[in-house]
Amino acid sequence: MLYVSSSCLNEVKPCRIGNVIKKLAESGIRHIELSGGTEYYETIEQDLQELGRRYGLTYACHAYFPPPRDPFVVNLASCNEEIYRRSTDHYRSCISLLKRIGCRTLSVHAGFLTEVGTEEIGKRLRGAVVYGEEEACERFCSAYRQIDSLCEKAGITLYLENNVLSEENYRAFGGRNLFMMTDYESIMRMKEHLTFRLLLDLGHLHVSCHTLGLDYREECRKLKEHVEWLHISDNDGKRDAHRPLREESGIVKVWKELYDREMPVTLETVGDIKEILQSAALAEWRRL
């Protein structure tokens, strides 16, 4: 099944999730992954329920949804008590909302070993505060288990997504990787501490491989048996650009070659409706 991320639509952000879903649904898209980039407003839940009924939509949920009243960067590995509490509280509220709207899938990001401000998302990070890896890992695993338990009680399946390490941030951190689960080795290290369903973002992995000097196809091959959901978009390996899919893209070629055509996929390419539908058509055609 192919989902389209709500963050695909190239709207002026932040915007209302109801407006985004309506535009996607009116273009014939029926499977939508609720994601970041939208603003908080009081009637989000009513909009999701009404639009879901009107268009017969199936929802999945990813990371930074629903948008918090006061924006912040969720980090389940944070050693800052306030950020950690807000992050776990965010997912408790999220799970309650998903249960009420009939959404049965949630995916979350692996943690960061540094504090990240809202103005830094997708950019070079300052890395002003760095956590100890062991403590951050323990906190992340504890938070993930709590969220997984809540999901299980609510009938929701939880997935964990790999992070992205850009060359810019790697240089800025002096050759240190301050992101959890960026490549095969670090994903396997996490599996020693935690049982989870892997959501592999192929675009994230492409950038991380470029940064770390790893063979992208080989990393995808080694991870193949562990993957249960995919995110896909295109990039040049330098940053997670969320470009439209291209038939000749190395990411698309590896996806076509290695991965099960029945595996759920979320399209994360950013553009206007025409560009989204073109990428969706290529993705669907590859999966027939």
Side-chain angles (χ1 to χ4, degrees):
M1 181 179 293
L2 178 74
Y3 284 79
V4 173
S5 172
S6 62
S7 63
C8 282
L9 193 58
N10 195 13
E11 297 277 275
V12 175
K13 294 182 172 57
C15 52
R16 289 196 165 205
I17 189 66
N19 296 338
V20 172
I21 291 174
K22 189 171 186 292
K23 289 182 180 180
L24 293 176
E26 288 178 345
S27 300
I29 295 165
R30 293 294 180 264
H31 305 293
I32 297 175
E33 185 172 87
L34 307 170
S35 192
T38 60
E39 63 186 354
Y40 173 86
Y41 61 100
E42 291 290 341
T43 59
I44 286 177
E45 184 173 337
Q46 293 93 309
D47 282 359
L48 293 174
Q49 290 177 333
E50 180 185 341
L51 291 165
R53 287 192 298 267
R54 185 190 307 175
Y55 295 102
L57 304 179
T58 301
Y59 294 128
C61 183
H62 178 57
Y64 302 134
F65 191 88
R69 188 187 297 265
D70 299 312
F72 75 106
V73 177
V74 173
N75 183 10
L76 296 174
S78 179
C79 297
N80 177 309
E81 291 298 337
E82 181 181 359
I83 296 173
Y84 190 71
R85 176 190 56 78
R86 292 186 70 188
S87 297
T88 53
D89 285 350
H90 168 80
Y91 283 117
R92 289 189 182 94
S93 298
C94 173
I95 291 164
S96 295
L97 171 66
L98 299 187
K99 186 176 180 180
R100 292 194 299 272
I101 67 171
C103 177
R104 294 292 175 256
T105 303
L106 171 64
S107 54
V108 302
H109 283 155
F112 319 122
L113 303 182
T114 182
E115 290 187 12
V116 182
T118 54
E119 74 284 354
E120 296 178 284
I121 290 294
K123 302 175 184 176
R124 175 176 172 174
L125 305 183
R126 294 190 298 271
V129 178
V130 177
Y131 310 132
E133 185 172 358
E134 185 175 341
E135 182 183 3
C137 182
E138 289 177 359
R139 292 170 74 84
F140 178 80
C141 291
S142 176
Y144 187 87
R145 291 186 188 106
Q146 292 175 46
I147 293 165
D148 195 24
S149 177
L150 292 172
C151 282
E152 186 176 358
K153 292 174 183 175
I156 294 168
T157 303
L158 181 64
Y159 297 84
L160 178 57
E161 182 187 20
N162 58 306
N163 259 322
V164 56
L165 176 64
S166 70
E167 185 177 348
E168 182 180 36
N169 280 324
Y170 197 49
R171 288 199 308 267
F173 299 148
R176 293 183 64 193
N177 184 354
L178 299 183
F179 299 89
M180 293 178 174
M181 294 177 53
T182 55
D183 57 299
Y184 174 78
E185 183 179 337
S186 56
I187 291 170
M188 290 302 102
R189 282 203 306 271
M190 183 60 76
K191 278 194 168 289
E192 294 175 3
H193 300 282
L194 190 66
T195 300
F196 60 88
R197 300 172 186 86
L198 177 62
L199 185 160
L200 182 64
D201 188 312
L202 294 169
H204 285 188
L205 185 62
H206 192 244
V207 173
S208 297
C209 286
H210 181 272
T211 301
L212 296 169
L214 300 172
D215 184 289
Y216 177 65
R217 185 195 175 282
E218 181 62 14
E219 289 285 295
C220 286
R221 186 195 64 76
K222 290 189 294 186
L223 286 166
K224 179 181 177 180
E225 65 178 288
H226 303 284
V227 179
E228 298 189 42
W229 194 297
L230 292 167
H231 277 185
I232 190 166
S233 61
D234 201 10
N235 63 62
D236 61 3
K238 296 180 180 179
R239 68 184 185 90
D240 187 26
H242 296 282
R243 292 177 179 173
L245 301 186
R246 300 170 297 119
E247 190 171 346
E248 68 274 16
S249 160
I251 294 174
V252 171
K253 287 179 178 178
V254 168
W255 172 40
K256 176 188 175 185
E257 177 187 352
L258 292 179
Y259 288 100
D260 186 345
R261 291 174 296 179
E262 299 302 316
M263 184 176 295
V265 176
T266 298
L267 183 70
E268 286 197 314
T269 60
V270 174
D272 57 28
I273 286 291
K274 182 180 178 181
E275 290 170 320
I276 293 168
L277 292 177
Q278 286 173 341
S279 288
L282 176 59
E284 291 279 46
W285 181 79
R286 289 297 182 193
R287 289 167 47 76
L288 287 178

